[in-house]
Amino acid sequence: MEEHVLSLLCDPETRFGLELAGNNLRNTATGRIFPIQDGIPLFVSSVSGSNLKYQTLYDRIAPGYDLSERFLNWVKGKPDYRQEFLKELEIKPGTRVLEVAVGTGANIPLLPSDIDFFGIDLSWGMLRKCQRNLHLWNRQAHLFHGEAERLPFKVEAFDCVFHAGGINRFNDKVRAIKEMIWVARSGTKIVIVDELEDARAEVHRHAPVSKRNVEPGSENVRCPIDLVPGEMKDVRAREICDGKMYCLSFRKP
Ligand SMILES: C[S@@+](CC[C@H](N)C(=O)[O-])C[C@H]1O[C@@H](n2cnc3c(N)ncnc32)[C@H](O)[C@@H]1O
């Protein structure tokens, strides 16, 4: 692990820094060990509730995810929607970018290659697929296995923080938003994107795998603008992807 990556990591519970100890990371204060497997540090301990449900789902569908996502986007009439939110990101050469819930890394090839990209996800299957994709695309990224609600990064570690496609189903949206703010440098624009109800309804009509896991209307599918802390600046929400998704953005003061 590169020195600059290690210097940005912390124990997500205690926030103490970490050091390398063989093929593990070790909390410098408590000695707690976080293993590194296949080059990916593991920060997930116990997962419960909705997070467990979606971790299990994404682990199962990871191998065919990219193909089925292309099919579902066609069904839902979601052409090229990623550019609509990626253009919101404020990225310059060398910018240190964090994507929370990176999945198979589908946003990575659409971003400039001269950035320092970090991705975290709860699903080990999605991260392994992401690793294979990075190899295919000849792209570099630092990947971590962890929860959005417990980010293993130090305060103000990133110049750009974004999330796309999972927050509607997170166990704790408030905590995940607070964590994104914690790891963002002062002045950073944070961008959060997910689906609105219409798009979910299309999925349920056409994707039996998802239908078994989530019944339409069983979850609260709306833009979490009310969960953004009052002190954030430039809070803005808009519909993208022909009204099928929301894009929420705000700036850390
Ligand atoms: C629809 S995929 C989106 C992946 C990627 N962001 C994209 O735009 O293609 C949602 C991802 O969120 C991840 N996820 C769900 N809940 C999570 C949580 N609480 N913390 C971290 N990742 C989570 C899933 O494992 C899955 O990879």
Side-chain angles (χ1 to χ4, degrees):
M1 175 176 296
E2 294 161 56
E3 197 55 45
H4 88 280
V5 177
L6 183 60
S7 73
L8 299 172
L9 300 182
C10 68
D11 180 328
E13 307 295 341
T14 66
R15 305 286 195 199
F16 287 121
L18 302 176
E19 61 192 1
L20 262 180
N23 201 32
N24 298 307
L25 292 166
R26 185 171 54 206
N27 183 319
T28 51
T30 67
R32 183 175 172 191
I33 292 291
F34 298 94
I36 304 175
Q37 199 176 311
D38 299 313
I40 301 177
L42 310 181
F43 289 102
V44 174
S45 44
S46 64
V47 183
S48 61
S50 178
N51 283 4
L52 178 60
K53 181 160 101 178
Y54 285 98
Q55 182 187 44
T56 309
L57 170 69
Y58 280 105
D59 277 343
R60 195 169 78 233
I61 65 177
Y65 179 82
D66 291 335
L67 208 60
S68 60
E69 208 233 352
R70 276 203 289 278
F71 170 71
L72 288 176
N73 284 345
W74 173 76
V75 165
K76 290 184 271 183
K78 280 167 65 176
D80 206 13
Y81 72 96
R82 292 182 186 276
Q83 291 296 357
E84 285 189 68
F85 66 86
L86 291 175
K87 71 177 185 213
E88 292 266 346
L89 305 181
E90 295 173 344
I91 292 181
K92 297 195 293 278
T95 297
R96 191 176 299 137
V97 179
L98 172 67
E99 180 173 2
V100 175
V102 65
T104 60
N107 296 309
I108 298 173
L110 305 175
L111 295 172
S113 56
D114 55 1
I115 57 172
D116 194 15
F117 187 95
F118 289 60
I120 186 164
D121 202 282
L122 181 55
S123 159
W124 179 251
M126 295 292 270
L127 287 170
R128 291 291 279 158
K129 184 80 203 264
C130 183
Q131 273 187 325
R132 288 195 288 279
N133 282 340
L134 288 169
H135 186 69
L136 281 176
W137 301 328
N138 194 22
R139 292 289 297 251
Q140 306 290 322
H142 313 289
L143 299 180
F144 304 86
H145 188 221
E147 282 178 281
E149 293 92 336
R150 281 171 200 79
L151 295 180
F153 306 111
K154 289 187 180 158
V155 66
E156 309 232 324
F158 296 97
D159 317 297
C160 173
V161 178
F162 76 101
H163 163 73
I167 193 167
N168 286 348
R169 293 96 150 182
F170 285 178
N171 268 0
D172 190 340
K173 299 182 188 64
V174 171
R175 186 158 173 186
I177 291 172
K178 278 192 184 146
E179 289 285 284
M180 288 186 236
I181 294 168
W182 161 267
V183 302
R185 218 176 250 174
S186 171
T188 294
K189 183 179 186 185
I190 296 168
V191 175
I192 296 175
V193 174
D194 209 345
E195 293 186 327
L196 290 166
E197 191 65 62
D198 280 1
R200 305 286 312 279
E202 286 300 319
V203 176
H204 293 301
R205 263 204 296 282
H206 296 277
V209 174
S210 303
K211 192 170 181 175
R212 276 204 303 275
N213 285 277
V214 194
E215 290 306 316
S218 66
E219 289 176 60
N220 202 0
V221 180
R222 59 176 185 81
C223 174
I225 192 166
D226 54 321
L227 306 184
V228 177
E231 65 272 24
M232 292 301 119
K233 305 277 183 218
D234 308 333
V235 182
R236 188 168 159 243
R238 63 187 177 97
E239 290 186 359
I240 59 170
C241 193
D242 295 335
K244 296 183 174 72
M245 305 185 83
Y246 60 81
C247 176
L248 169 64
S249 63
F250 51 91
R251 196 175 295 281
K252 180 171 174 174

